[in-house]
Amino acid sequence: MDHVSRTPSLATRLTQLERTPAGGHGFVNPPVHRGSTVLQPDVAARDAANERRLEPGAMSYGTQGGPTQHALERIVADIEGGVACTVVGTGLAAISVPLMAFLRAGDHLLMADSVYGPARRLAAEVLPGFGVETSFYDPCTTPEALAPLFRPNTRVLYLESPGSYGFEMQDVPALAALARARGAVSMIDNTWGLANFQPFEKGCDVSIQALTKYLGGHSDVLLGSVTVADMAHHRTIRAMYGALGHYAAPDDCWLAIRGARTLALRLKQQEAAALEVARWLQGRPQVARVLHPALPGDPGHAIWKRDFSGACSLFGVVFQPRYTREDAVRFVDGLKLFGIGASWGGYESLALPMAGTRSVSPRLPEAAVRLHVGLEDVADLLADLDQGLARLG
Ligand SMILES: *Cc1c(COP(=O)(O)O)cnc(C)c1O
């Protein structure tokens, strides 16, 4: 048989990347490198290292990261198909750093109405003080409808697909192409898409991940990443990262590298489990709609099918109109296997009443919840949801 050359798939790459580093005595995993000072052989070498401070893998002082941070950066860049990545301490920092890197006083930001709440707060409450104005736009907009919102000073188009809480799908390739034609940088929060959405193939310039979610995977680490497909963009981001003193701790990066080894397996399992739960919920009399773009019939399904290679395990459930927000709260409070708390992407299932603001697109339903499906047995989760729905009446 002929040997066919093929690019290894994600599951294979995640077992191979950044393994057995030189000088590691053959141990499979890279060690944790902690440090502030990095010694140089002479002053000329130190100056040369300083000159390289905006380049990938720079290591002239601890704040630039060291071998552990850079190993994680290469893994994330590989997952997303980027050329360079910067890891920072939280997913929220992965939002604030590129926004501050690309925006200046007098600039205009276009932000999807469906973004993660703290991103909205940053744009609405902090950036105006720095002279940056934001317009929110309907996430389900077409390029034709979005075009008139661009101004000569629009510098950034910010996307998130699907949207936080409402799971509205965006036509990312069309909107990113419009941004490029208008000379704006497109940024996407790709936390939900993760390995299932390739942001640079779809025309985005900057991809943001809360590594806190599935990459960490065990609800024991906070981290974020900013990945790009263009070295000039990387330098712009590294300059602001350095100026503001952002940093990701090496122990946390090591945990994320460890999480990456099982990422493909967990994602596949959680995707399938969440779809099983979502389909079951669709058949319950108390449920009006399930907000999950991978379900046929979802308003965003065609876009999801075109642009994504899979789904994660976070989705929404809207109860029938006879129920109230108090009913949704009662439902969440009565679940036994679903924890009540922020975040998602860990091994454990979670539930929260629907939250989130919309100012220019349809309001989110009140009698609704957001579910994250973890690694529990699906039959046990269904039994828990069943008793929860029964109590709703
Ligand atoms: C959780 C989350 C973030 C922020 O991540 P943190 O690490 O908690 O700061 C950003 N974007 C989305 C879509 C998220 O769900």
Side-chain angles (χ1 to χ4, degrees):
M1 200 182 111
D2 287 341
H3 291 283
V4 181
S5 99
R6 69 174 241 131
T7 307
S9 66
L10 180 74
T12 306
R13 299 197 322 270
L14 290 173
T15 68
Q16 299 289 321
L17 288 163
E18 302 301 322
R19 238 175 53 183
T20 45
H25 310 284
F27 281 84
V28 172
N29 293 305
V32 180
H33 285 273
R34 297 190 193 85
S36 51
T37 300
V38 180
L39 298 177
Q40 304 290 350
D42 51 39
V43 173
R46 181 189 138 77
D47 291 347
N50 271 345
E51 295 244 318
R52 290 195 67 255
R53 75 187 194 289
L54 303 181
E55 303 304 318
M59 268 188 274
S60 65
Y61 184 56
T63 51
Q64 290 161 1
T68 316
Q69 288 93 337
H70 298 327
L72 176 60
E73 287 167 347
R74 286 187 291 270
I75 289 172
V76 175
D78 183 277
I79 292 171
E80 294 198 287
V83 299
C85 171
T86 298
V87 293
V88 287
T90 62
L92 182 54
I95 295 168
S96 63
V97 167
L99 283 175
M100 295 199 69
F102 285 99
L103 291 164
R104 293 291 176 273
D107 284 348
H108 175 240
L109 163 66
L110 274 173
M111 183 173 262
D113 206 26
S114 53
V115 296
Y116 174 65
R120 184 186 192 93
R121 206 174 309 137
L122 183 70
E125 297 174 17
V126 178
L127 293 180
F130 291 87
V132 174
E133 198 185 337
T134 298
S135 303
F136 291 95
Y137 66 90
D138 184 339
C140 302
T141 189
T142 59
E144 294 72 32
L146 185 64
L149 298 187
F150 274 85
R151 303 176 187 173
N153 60 339
T154 303
R155 181 79 180 109
V156 173
L157 174 71
Y158 189 97
L159 309 118
E160 183 178 330
S161 182
S164 279
Y165 280 104
F167 299 92
E168 303 95 332
M169 293 297 292
Q170 298 202 256
D171 188 350
V172 175
L175 302 181
L178 174 64
R180 190 159 295 180
R182 294 302 179 95
V185 171
S186 57
M187 290 180 197
I188 187 164
D189 184 329
N190 192 31
T191 303
W192 195 97
L194 185 50
N196 291 314
F197 182 82
Q198 294 289 293
F200 307 112
E201 267 178 23
K202 301 291 184 287
C204 297
D205 295 312
V206 177
S207 181
I208 292 156
Q209 290 272 355
L211 304 180
T212 304
K213 308 292 161 58
Y214 294 95
L215 208 124
H218 297 73
S219 306
D220 53 8
V221 65
L222 286 154
L223 279 176
S225 63
V226 190
T227 305
V228 294
D230 176 303
M231 271 310 162
H233 288 157
H234 182 69
R235 287 182 203 110
T236 302
I237 288 161
R238 281 318 272 207
M240 186 54 70
Y241 159 96
L244 294 176
H246 275 282
Y247 175 68
D251 296 82
D252 292 344
C253 292
W254 187 89
L255 281 171
I257 292 169
R258 178 176 162 133
R261 304 302 182 196
T262 57
L263 174 66
L265 178 69
R266 287 183 287 108
L267 260 184
K268 209 159 117 186
Q269 166 65 23
Q270 286 176 260
E271 173 186 23
L275 273 170
E276 196 177 335
V277 172
R279 288 204 184 95
W280 181 86
L281 283 164
Q282 278 187 313
R284 298 298 105 190
Q286 297 88 347
V287 173
R289 265 186 69 204
V290 176
L291 310 178
H292 191 321
L295 291 175
D298 186 275
H301 184 65
I303 290 179
W304 175 81
K305 217 171 152 179
R306 183 192 67 189
D307 293 346
F308 285 64
S309 57
C312 68
S313 65
L314 185 80
F315 63 94
V317 183
V318 183
F319 296 117
Q320 295 287 1
R322 65 178 177 277
Y323 297 109
T324 62
R325 178 174 160 80
E326 287 64 43
D327 291 322
V329 168
R330 221 156 38 81
F331 172 77
V332 168
D333 281 341
L335 295 174
K336 296 182 172 67
L337 292 178
F338 288 77
I340 302 169
S343 204
W344 44 285
Y347 60 87
E348 80 286 21
S349 288
L350 297 168
L352 276 181
M354 186 72 77
T357 308
R358 298 289 185 267
S359 55
V360 298
S361 57
R363 277 183 54 182
L364 293 169
E366 298 238 311
V369 294
R370 186 183 78 172
L371 295 182
H372 170 255
V373 172
L375 292 170
E376 302 87 348
D377 191 310
V378 175
D380 294 330
L381 294 178
L382 295 186
D384 193 22
L385 293 167
D386 198 36
Q387 63 83 22
L389 290 173
R391 266 183 305 95
L392 269 187

